[in-house]
Amino acid sequence: MASDSSPVPVPGTTGTVTTAVPARLDRLPWSRWHWMIVIGLGTVWILDGLEVTIVGNVAGRLAEEGSGLDITAAQVTGVAAALYVAGACSGALFFGWLTDRYGRKRLFMVTLVVYLGATAMTALSFESWWFFLFRFLTGFGIGGEYAAINSAIDELIPSLYRGRVDLIINGSYWLGAIGGALLSVVMLDTDIFPKDLGWRLSFALGVVLGLVVLLVRRHVPESPRWQFIHGRSEEAEELVTSVEQRIEREKGERLPPPAGEITVHQRKSIGFGLIATTVFGRYPRRAFLGLSLFIGQAFLYNAITFGFGTILTTFFDVPTGNTGYYFAVIAAGNFLGPLLLGKLFDTLGRRIMISSTYLLSGMLLFGTAWLFDRGSLTATTMTACWCVVLFFASAGASSAYLTVSEVFPMETRAMAIAFFYALGTAAGGISGPLIFADLTASGVVGDTALAFRIGAALMCAAGIVAVFLAVKAERRSLEDIAEPLSVTKAAPADSR
C-alpha cells in the first residue's frame, strides 16, 4: 500500500546520526556472545511454561479437600487461567510502551522481577481471591517479558539466523512445560508432600529458577539498534565494536566489512498516535496478518492446553497425580516442532512455513476432534494425536511472535508485539479458557470436541491469511523489511 514518501515528523529529535550498526550486527557469525543472548533472554519462556503447566496439572489437587484453598478445578482452569492471560495482555501493553521508550534491557529486568514477586505470592495463597490476584500479576510480568524480550532478540541476532533462533527461543516454553509436568507428578505425590504443601513448593521452585535467570540476564546488553535511535549512538558504537573484537578473537579471523549505513533523526520517545498510524495506516495487511496469527494460536493454546489435565481426568479417568506424565509427552512434541522446523523458516521462507504449519495443525486437530467425538481414543492415543498436532502448531505459534517483531519499524517494535499479543490473546486466551472450562466441566464428549473444532478452524483461517499476506522476511535486515520512521528519507511503505 503506497503512502506519502515525505519524511515523518520526528518529535523529541536530538540530532542526526549516520551509522553502520545494523549491518555490522547482521554480518556477525554465530558466536559465544550470541549464545549468551539466547540463554539470558530465552530462559524466561521456560519459566512461563513451568508456571502454566503447574497450574493446569494442580487444578484437580487444588479442588480437593485439604489443599488449603476453597476453589474448584473449573475455577483454576477457567477463572484463574483467564486472569493470568488478562494480566499478560495488560502487562504486554504497559511494559511494551515502556520498552520502546526506555530500552529493552531496563524493562526485561523489571518485568522478570514482577514475575518473581507475583509467583512467590501465589505460593503463599490462603484464599481463592489471593490466588486469583497473583495469577493476574504473574501474567502481568510475563506479558511484559514477551514485548521486551522478543524485540531485543530480533535486534541482536544476525538476520541469517533470526527466524530459527526466535522460533526455538519461543518454543523453549515447552521445556518448562516438560519440567512443570514432571515436577507436578512429584509434588502431587501425597506420600512425599502433604496436599497443602506440594503445589506451593512447585511455585516456589519457579521463583528459585527465576532468580538464576535474573543473575544471567544482567550480562545481556542493551540493543544497539535502540541506542542509536534514542540519542546514545556512542554507546551503540562502543558496544558493537567490543562484540566484533570478541568474535574476531574467538574465530581467529577478521570480519568482512558491513554492507551499508543508515542515517536517522534521533528521538527520545514516540507517541501512541504515530505508532497506530504506522501499524494500521502504512502496514494494514501486515497488521491483519499479525492479528490473525495471534488469534489462531492463542485460542488453541490458551483454551485447550490449560484444560488438558481436566480432559484426562474427566474423560479417561486418569488420576490427578499422573496427568503430568501425559503432558510431558505433549510438551516434548511442542518443543521439537520449532527445534526441527525452525531452520526452514530461514531457508524455505516465512510464507510457506507459516501457512503450512498453521494449516497442518488445524487439519490434524479436526481429525483429532473427530476421533475423540466417536470414542476412538484412549488417554494414550489422545496424547499421541495431540503430540503430532502441536509439533506443527508450536512452530506456527512461535512464528506469530517472529512475524510481528520483524515486520514493523524499529521505533514501534515492542509496542507492536505487545498490541498484537494482547489483542490476539484477549480474543482467544481470555474467552477461550472460560468457554472451554464450561465445556469440559459438562462431561459431554461433544462439547469438548466442539472446542477442538473451533480451535482448528481458527488455525486454518490464520494459515490461509498467511498464504496471501506473509512477508518475505527471511535473511533480510530488519531495516530492509520495515524502514525505521526516523530515517532521513523515508521510502514508500510496502504493506506486504
Side-chain angles (χ1 to χ4, degrees):
M1 179 179 183
S3 69
D4 184 359
S5 61
S6 59
V8 178
V10 182
T13 296
T14 60
T16 300
V17 60
T18 297
T19 180
V21 161
R24 292 166 68 186
L25 289 170
D26 280 335
R27 61 79 148 95
L28 294 176
W30 192 259
S31 67
R32 288 192 291 268
W33 184 79
H34 294 106
W35 278 118
M36 182 265 292
I37 301 297
V38 169
I39 294 171
L41 297 182
T43 42
V44 73
W45 270 255
I46 298 177
L47 291 177
D48 189 17
L50 182 76
E51 180 84 21
V52 172
T53 306
I54 286 175
V55 173
N57 285 318
V58 305
R61 175 55 47 82
L62 289 174
E64 295 175 0
E65 185 177 353
S67 70
L69 283 180
D70 182 15
I71 196 170
T72 67
Q75 285 178 315
V76 177
T77 59
V79 178
L83 285 172
Y84 178 87
V85 174
C89 295
S90 304
L93 291 171
F94 177 71
F95 289 119
W97 175 69
L98 293 178
T99 297
D100 278 334
R101 186 179 182 88
Y102 295 109
R104 285 47 170 141
K105 182 177 177 67
R106 187 176 301 178
L107 269 298
F108 62 58
M109 297 295 286
V110 170
T111 52
L112 182 56
V113 170
V114 171
Y115 162 81
L116 291 173
T119 301
M121 292 298 101
T122 301
L124 301 176
S125 297
F126 57 92
E127 293 284 353
S128 58
W129 67 265
W130 179 281
F131 183 81
F132 293 148
L133 171 63
F134 285 102
R135 289 309 296 156
F136 174 86
L137 292 176
T138 301
F140 193 74
I142 284 293
E145 288 275 292
Y146 280 115
I149 291 178
N150 270 299
S151 54
I153 289 170
D154 282 359
E155 291 167 11
L156 291 169
I157 298 299
S159 57
L160 183 65
Y161 308 99
R162 188 175 61 241
R164 74 196 75 177
V165 170
D166 197 293
L167 258 70
I168 292 172
I169 286 179
N170 279 284
S172 67
Y173 169 99
W174 295 102
L175 288 178
I178 295 172
L182 296 178
L183 179 65
S184 67
V185 172
V186 177
M187 294 302 180
L188 295 181
D189 188 340
T190 53
D191 292 333
I192 303 176
F193 299 105
K195 284 186 176 181
D196 63 344
L197 180 61
W199 65 268
R200 299 180 189 275
L201 292 177
S202 299
F203 287 110
L205 182 59
V207 176
V208 174
L209 294 176
L211 289 172
V212 175
V213 174
L214 190 64
L215 293 175
V216 174
R217 190 174 288 182
R218 291 183 309 163
H219 303 290
V220 177
E222 179 58 84
S223 163
R225 283 178 158 101
W226 182 88
Q227 287 177 322
F228 76 71
I229 282 183
H230 288 77
R232 295 164 59 180
S233 55
E234 290 185 3
E235 295 177 40
E237 296 288 342
E238 291 174 3
L239 173 58
V240 175
T241 298
S242 68
V243 172
E244 290 172 332
Q245 292 172 347
R246 181 187 307 181
I247 293 177
E248 286 181 339
R249 288 194 299 270
E250 177 185 334
K251 303 298 181 181
E253 58 184 27
R254 299 282 296 176
L255 292 170
E261 297 180 328
I262 185 173
T263 301
V264 299
H265 289 299
Q266 296 175 310
R267 66 174 71 205
K268 291 294 186 182
S269 64
I270 182 171
F272 281 112
L274 185 53
I275 292 174
T277 300
T278 301
V279 173
F280 296 102
R282 300 188 84 195
Y283 301 100
R285 284 181 286 188
R286 295 184 183 188
F288 184 69
L289 169 68
L291 185 59
S292 300
L293 296 180
F294 267 97
I295 289 178
Q297 64 87 27
F299 194 95
L300 178 72
Y301 278 99
N302 290 301
I304 296 175
T305 58
F306 263 127
F308 185 77
T310 304
I311 294 172
L312 292 176
T313 57
T314 302
F315 297 105
F316 301 108
D317 297 321
V318 175
T320 57
N322 293 342
T323 58
Y325 292 117
Y326 295 90
F327 203 91
V329 174
I330 288 175
N334 271 284
F335 178 65
L336 289 174
L339 181 65
L340 299 179
L341 300 177
K343 184 177 181 179
L344 299 178
F345 284 77
D346 286 323
T347 54
L348 292 181
R350 305 290 199 259
R351 177 169 298 180
I352 188 172
M353 290 305 300
I354 294 173
S355 59
S356 61
T357 51
Y358 269 79
L359 288 169
L360 274 172
S361 60
M363 290 186 289
L364 290 168
L365 181 52
F366 272 124
T368 301
W370 179 73
L371 292 172
F372 178 73
D373 198 19
R374 67 194 299 265
S376 300
L377 297 176
T378 64
T380 301
T381 55
M382 177 75 169
T383 302
C385 287
W386 267 103
C387 199
V388 176
V389 169
L390 297 177
F391 175 85
F392 296 103
S394 181
S398 296
S399 73
Y401 293 94
L402 169 66
T403 297
V404 298
S405 66
E406 67 181 0
V407 301
F408 296 106
M410 158 73 203
E411 298 90 338
T412 69
R413 182 161 294 120
M415 197 61 207
I417 297 168
F419 176 80
F420 288 104
Y421 170 80
L423 198 57
T425 303
I430 297 178
S431 60
L434 294 173
I435 296 170
F436 191 69
D438 290 336
L439 291 174
T440 53
S442 72
V444 178
V445 171
D447 289 346
T448 302
L450 173 62
F452 292 169
R453 293 188 184 104
I454 294 172
L458 289 172
M459 287 295 282
C460 287
I464 293 172
V465 171
V467 169
F468 297 99
L469 300 184
V471 179
K472 183 179 175 58
E474 58 274 9
R475 304 191 177 197
R476 296 171 62 191
S477 73
L478 295 172
E479 291 72 23
D480 182 39
I481 299 168
E483 193 173 56
L485 301 180
S486 305
V487 170
T488 54
K489 292 183 179 180
D494 175 12
S495 61
R496 293 188 67 83

